[in-house]
Amino acid sequence: MNRRSFVKNTALSSGVISLGGAFSYASQKKGLETAETFNLKYAPHLGMFKHHAGDDPIDQINFMADQGFMAFEDNGLMNREVSMQTKIGETLAQRGMTMGVFVVDKGGNMANTLAAGKQEHVDIFLDGCKRAVEVAKRVNAKWMTVVPGGFERKLPIGVQDGNVIEALKRGAEIPEPHGLVMVLEPLSDSPDLYLQNSDQTYMICKGVDSPTCKILFDIYHMQKTEGNLIHNMDLTWDEIAYIQIGDNPGRNEPTTGEINYKNVFKFIHDKGFDGVLGMEHGNSESGKEGETAVINAYKEVDSFI
C-alpha cells in the first residue's frame, strides 16, 4: 500500500471522518472518493464508531466500510432479530465486506462445560451449532467462536481433554457440510476456564482432526497467558483460522499498550494470512475523538509495508 496516498486520501488524517450510514454509502455510489483499504482485514464491531455513525447497526457498518475496513464481526449476532441478521448480511454483501466471527450460543463462556463429559452439556452445545448454521447463512459467515467452558476439577486433565475432543468432533459434524469453521478461543479471563493457551488449543484441534475445528488466536488473551506472540503463533500456525486484537494492558486499540502490533501484523501478513482480524477491544478515549484515535492507530500499525 502507498502510505503517502493513503494519508492523503483518508479524511481522518486531518482529524475529520466522512459521514457514515446511508448518506455516505449513497455518496460513494455517486463516485465520491473514500478511504483506501488496509493491508489486512481488520474487523470492527458494533458500538465502536457510534458517535460518528449513530446507533443504527447498518449505518455503523456502512461507516466502517467508508473508513476502509474490509470486515466486520459481531459476537452477539445469534441474539439479534432475524430481520436484523438479514439486513447485516445484505449490507456486508453490498459493501464487499467479509463477515467475521459470531459466538455459538451454548449458555456463556463458563456454562455447560464440555470437559465434564455430561450429555446434557453436549446436547446444549450441539443445539447451538445447529442454530449457528442458520445464522451463518443469513450473513454469509464462515467462522463461529466456541468456548468449551470451565474445568471439571474432579476429573483428571487427560479425561477432560478426551471429553472436549469428543464433544467437538460431534459439533464439527454439523457445520462441516456447509463449509463453516468452529474456532476455539483460549481465554485469560479466569483460571477456571478450561481453554487458556495456544499449545493446548493446538492439541485439541489435532485431536478433533477436522477442517471445521481450528484456533481463534486472540492476541490480547495470549499476551496475558503466555506472551512470546510471534513464536507461539508460528508454532501453531497450521491450526489458526482467525485472529483477534487488543492491546495489553487495557484491552484497547493497538499503540495503547505493550504489544508491538506493527511487527505482529507484519508477521501475519508475511505468512500470507487472508482471513479476518477481529477488533475485539474497547476505545481508549471516549466520544468522536476516541473513535478517530482508533482508526488512526490502525493506520499507524498497518504501515508495516
Side-chain angles (χ1 to χ4, degrees):
M1 177 182 291
N2 186 321
R3 301 306 302 177
R4 186 172 300 172
S5 174
F6 180 73
V7 172
K8 178 181 178 181
N9 292 333
T10 304
L12 285 170
S13 63
S14 60
V16 179
I17 301 181
S18 60
L19 291 175
F23 176 79
S24 58
Y25 181 44
S27 297
Q28 184 199 40
K29 295 288 283 186
K30 293 177 182 178
L32 295 181
E33 193 172 43
T34 56
E36 291 186 22
T37 55
F38 295 91
N39 289 304
L40 295 168
K41 294 179 184 176
Y42 309 116
H45 55 80
L46 295 179
M48 182 165 274
F49 303 122
K50 66 179 180 180
H51 292 285
H52 279 96
D55 292 329
D56 182 77
I58 304 306
D59 288 346
Q60 292 185 39
I61 293 171
N62 276 315
F63 179 84
M64 296 169 192
D66 289 341
Q67 307 314 313
F69 293 104
M70 298 178 287
F72 164 77
E73 71 173 21
D74 184 12
N75 283 344
L77 184 67
M78 287 192 70
N79 295 319
R80 302 194 189 280
E81 296 289 337
V82 170
S83 59
M84 178 53 67
Q85 295 172 3
T86 301
K87 288 180 182 178
I88 288 173
E90 292 171 348
T91 304
L92 294 176
Q94 289 171 353
R95 301 310 304 266
M97 297 175 74
T98 300
M99 179 69 206
V101 291
F102 63 91
V103 175
V104 173
D105 181 13
K106 57 172 278 295
N109 286 350
M110 285 295 298
N112 302 307
T113 177
L114 302 182
K118 296 181 180 179
Q119 187 61 48
E120 59 265 34
H121 293 182
V122 176
D123 288 343
I124 291 170
F125 166 58
L126 298 180
D127 176 68
C129 290
K130 292 174 184 176
R131 291 184 288 114
V133 168
E134 297 307 310
V135 173
K137 291 177 182 178
R138 298 184 190 112
V139 296
N140 195 29
K142 181 176 182 179
W143 306 277
M144 53 190 71
T145 304
V146 171
V147 178
F151 282 108
E152 183 62 37
R153 300 290 188 184
K154 296 179 181 179
L155 295 177
I157 190 63
V159 173
Q160 294 183 63
D161 293 340
N163 289 340
V164 171
I165 289 169
E166 287 304 308
L168 291 172
K169 281 184 176 180
R170 293 188 60 189
E173 293 173 353
I174 296 170
E176 186 170 3
H178 305 278
L180 307 177
V181 180
M182 302 185 306
V183 285
L184 309 182
E185 183 176 14
L187 299 170
S188 63
D189 296 327
S190 167
D192 290 323
L193 282 161
Y194 165 81
L195 205 59
Q196 297 188 30
N197 296 290
S198 61
D199 64 326
Q200 174 197 17
T201 313
Y202 183 85
M203 178 269 292
I204 295 295
C205 288
K206 290 300 185 185
V208 176
D209 192 23
S210 168
T212 305
C213 185
K214 296 294 180 180
I215 297 173
L216 190 171
F217 195 103
D218 188 308
I219 296 171
Y220 163 77
H221 285 297
M222 293 303 92
Q223 173 69 0
K224 290 180 65 181
T225 60
E226 61 190 30
N228 210 6
L229 293 167
I230 291 175
H231 174 72
N232 288 333
M233 291 183 78
D234 198 36
L235 285 177
T236 59
W237 187 257
D238 65 307
E239 294 293 340
I240 294 174
Y242 198 93
I243 296 167
Q244 285 183 326
I245 304 161
D247 216 336
N248 182 63
R251 200 173 187 177
N252 290 315
E253 70 269 16
T255 74
T256 59
E258 65 189 0
I259 300 174
N260 188 333
Y261 263 105
K262 185 178 288 189
N263 281 355
V264 174
F265 288 160
K266 183 180 186 302
F267 165 79
I268 292 168
H269 183 270
D270 290 348
K271 293 290 276 188
F273 185 74
D274 63 354
V276 172
L277 296 92
M279 296 160 59
E280 196 185 36
H281 58 73
N283 298 359
S284 62
E285 303 175 37
S286 60
K288 290 185 177 182
E289 294 79 7
E291 295 172 2
T292 302
V294 168
I295 303 178
N296 283 333
Y298 276 89
K299 287 167 52 181
E300 178 179 341
V301 295
D302 189 66
S303 62
F304 49 78
I305 294 179

